[in-house]
Amino acid sequence: MSELLFVEALTRALGEEMERNPQVVLLGEDIGRNGGVFRVTQGLQARFGTERVVDTPVSEAGIVGAAVGLCLARMRPVCELQFDGFSYPALNQIITHVGRYRWRTRGTAPMPMVIRMPSGGGVRAPELHSDSPETYFCHTPGLVVVTPSTPADAKGLLTAAMRSPDPVIFLEPKKLYRHLRGEVPDGEHVTPLGVVRTVREGEDVTLFAWGAMVEVATATADALAQKGVSAHVCDVRTLSPLDEEGLLAAARATGRVVIIQEAPRTCGVASEIAAILAERAMYDLKAPIQRVTGFDVPHPYFSIEHHHRPDSARVLAAVHGTLEA
């Protein structure tokens, strides 16, 4: 095991998979000489050359479109989009080609690509640099959507994504890049896609979270423990397809559920999880499901973004509401 920052675990995953598989190529803006805006690809161009770590023009649609062509040539491209809000110009390529090509060609032309992007707020960034766009991708058939919350999962899930036969949208919580450090297995480490992670077991209330919100859920569980309340914390990890059986098991462990989501509230992943639990676990629930989310507004400027992002105070209020129901 090595003690790594979140960003270092991602770099290690990319480097090790490029060594293992010569079909893996990286492309994105400033990812070569500069190592990317968050330095995730730092040192990889010097190590693998300019033909495998490609600095592209400033065109997100061009990056993803080129990756479609690389997949047709039996390569495994890994795209980096500099920020979450910069993914919107690429939505045409992602929705009309990346998610559909395998279906369109009756399975003869899969799209084994990864589209990486920083996601979420908490780093005092300007407009279009702090969005949480997961719902757009989860609503698109043919895509796998993943977000890690620990350095070990950053490496393990990214490695699994690079080996997946399906296109994977890989959302990297930017607040965690240099904020979170943890143990990461040395050598090959693959975390299966589509499986939830039990962060801690509890008996009184279940907290569902993903990405940077897992840290909020864990801090809330610590605060509840001091008051004698036992919280079960579940890291969703793969947002599409959801691990329905894992979600149901976590909800049934306590019968009371609070779902924490950084993205805006309406039509979010939290809503889908709540619907699944209502459809399949209604008689196991002891109280209405609670959601703690971002608001249905553009992500605000950094001076007030702490009011927009869910925090422990808001989650504690929701927990107390469900415990009293």
Side-chain angles (χ1 to χ4, degrees):
M1 304 285 276
S2 297
E3 192 84 8
L4 299 178
L5 287 169
F6 192 93
V7 67
E8 293 171 333
L10 294 167
T11 307
R12 185 166 294 189
L14 291 169
E16 290 181 2
E17 192 63 13
M18 291 182 76
E19 283 185 346
R20 191 193 75 88
N21 187 352
Q23 292 178 303
V24 175
V25 295
L26 313 184
L27 58 161
E29 299 161 12
D30 298 326
I31 68 167
R33 291 180 60 185
N34 289 343
V37 67
F38 288 102
R39 304 298 185 260
V40 176
T41 55
Q42 191 165 33
L44 296 180
Q45 189 177 75
R47 187 170 159 193
F48 295 101
T50 57
E51 292 189 355
R52 294 190 66 196
V53 183
V54 182
D55 281 316
T56 67
V58 181
S59 172
E60 287 76 20
I63 293 167
V64 177
V68 171
L70 286 166
C71 288
L72 294 175
R74 299 296 187 260
M75 301 298 286
R76 286 184 168 267
V78 180
C79 307
E80 177 179 304
L81 306 183
Q82 283 191 341
F83 285 92
D84 31 46
F86 297 3
S87 66
Y88 306 143
L91 282 177
N92 180 43
Q93 291 289 342
I94 293 170
I95 294 170
T96 63
H97 296 308
V98 175
R100 292 173 178 259
Y101 229 106
R102 186 175 186 178
W103 169 83
R104 181 181 296 152
T105 61
R106 299 184 181 181
T108 61
M111 291 280 115
M113 74 169 70
V114 180
I115 302 175
R116 299 177 37 250
M117 68 187 79
S119 182
V123 296
R124 300 177 62 80
E127 184 185 4
L128 292 173
H129 291 65
S130 299
D131 288 7
S132 298
E134 63 256 29
T135 299
Y136 301 125
F137 305 117
C138 291
H139 193 66
T140 301
L143 301 178
V144 177
V145 184
V146 177
T147 183
S149 66
T150 68
D153 274 355
K155 179 181 179 181
L157 289 171
L158 182 54
T159 301
M162 289 186 284
R163 298 182 186 182
S164 171
D166 299 307
V168 179
I169 305 296
F170 198 84
L171 303 171
E172 301 166 1
K174 64 177 72 71
K175 187 178 188 297
L176 303 184
Y177 275 139
R178 300 185 183 278
H179 166 73
L180 186 63
R181 183 184 293 273
E183 288 191 339
V184 179
D186 295 323
E188 182 165 299
H189 174 55
V190 182
T191 303
L193 303 177
V195 181
V196 302
R197 176 176 71 96
T198 300
V199 180
R200 67 170 68 181
E201 295 184 345
E203 300 176 351
D204 298 320
V205 62
T206 297
L207 306 179
F208 288 108
W210 51 92
M213 294 295 102
V214 173
E215 189 174 50
V216 174
T218 303
T220 304
D222 290 339
L224 289 169
Q226 296 178 2
K227 300 178 180 180
V229 177
S230 172
H232 186 106
V233 180
C234 180
D235 180 0
V236 179
R237 298 199 295 193
T238 300
L239 307 184
S240 181
L242 288 165
D243 175 10
E244 293 194 15
E245 296 306 320
L247 297 173
L248 291 166
R252 288 168 176 154
T254 68
R256 301 177 187 274
V257 170
V258 176
I259 309 170
I260 312 164
Q261 168 184 288
E262 186 170 355
R265 185 179 186 87
T266 301
C267 296
V269 174
S271 303
E272 185 65 20
I273 293 173
I276 290 169
L277 300 182
E279 290 169 352
R280 300 187 56 191
M282 175 63 75
Y283 296 109
D284 298 299
L285 298 177
K286 303 173 184 177
I289 297 166
Q290 300 284 334
R291 289 177 293 162
V292 181
T293 71
F295 301 106
D296 290 339
V297 297
H299 193 95
Y301 290 110
F302 52 79
S303 60
I304 58 171
E305 74 168 343
H306 59 285
H307 293 298
H308 177 80
R309 302 178 71 248
D311 58 17
S312 289
R314 288 173 60 192
V315 178
L316 283 169
V319 169
H320 290 148
T322 192
L323 289 174
E324 294 168 2

